[in-house]
Amino acid sequence: MIGRSDLEARWLDLTRRALPGVARERGWPVTADHCFQRILLDHAFGGTWYDHVAGRPAYAHADADALERAVALGEAALAGEADLVALNRQSLAWRGKSPSKPRGPAPISRPSQSKRTKIERTA
C-alpha cells in the first residue's frame, strides 16, 4: 500500500493537472479539478461522497482505501481504460442531476436580407 502523503500527492496531481490537461482533447464533459474529484470519489464510495466523508477537503478525510480506489480510477481514466463520460453521468445520477448538454460550435449568424445596415433598419 502506498503511503498516505504519496496517495494524496498523486490524487492532487491527477485531479488538478493530469486529467484536466487531457480533458478537452478527449472531449470529456468536465474540465475542472473539482468535477474530477466529485466523479472519482463518488465512484470510490458507490454513491455521493459527502454521504461517506464528514470533513472537507474530502480527499484528506476519506479513508485510505477509498482514496486509493479513487486514484486507481483516475489512473484508469487517464490510461483510457475507464469511460469518464459514463462515470460522470452516473455521478450526476446519484445526485439527481442530468448531464449538461455538450458544447457545440458557436452558431453562425445569417447575413441580413436587407442591404441596409442595422442602424438604418432601426431608424
Side-chain angles (χ1 to χ4, degrees), residues 16-74:
R16 290 183 178 170
R17 185 196 58 79
L19 294 169
V22 299
R24 291 198 195 284
E25 71 187 40
R26 294 188 184 182
W28 287 344
V30 297
T31 58
D33 60 354
H34 66 275
C35 293
F36 290 108
Q37 292 174 356
R38 165 186 55 83
I39 294 165
L40 299 176
L41 284 173
D42 281 1
H43 283 277
F45 289 108
T48 54
W49 64 262
Y50 48 76
D51 290 339
H52 303 273
V53 180
R56 306 292 185 271
Y59 74 88
H61 292 89
D63 64 85
D65 290 338
L67 187 56
E68 197 166 341
R69 289 190 302 272
V71 167
L73 186 56

Side-chain angles (χ1 to χ4, degrees), residues 8 15 20 33 37 47 56 59 65 76-77 81 91 94 99 101 108 110 116 122-123:
E8 288 185 13
T15 60
D33 60 354
Q37 292 174 356
R56 306 292 185 271
Y59 74 88
D65 290 338
E81 299 166 356
S91 173
W94 282 325
K101 295 181 180 174
I108 299 172
R110 296 181 156 209
R116 297 184 315 170
T122 58

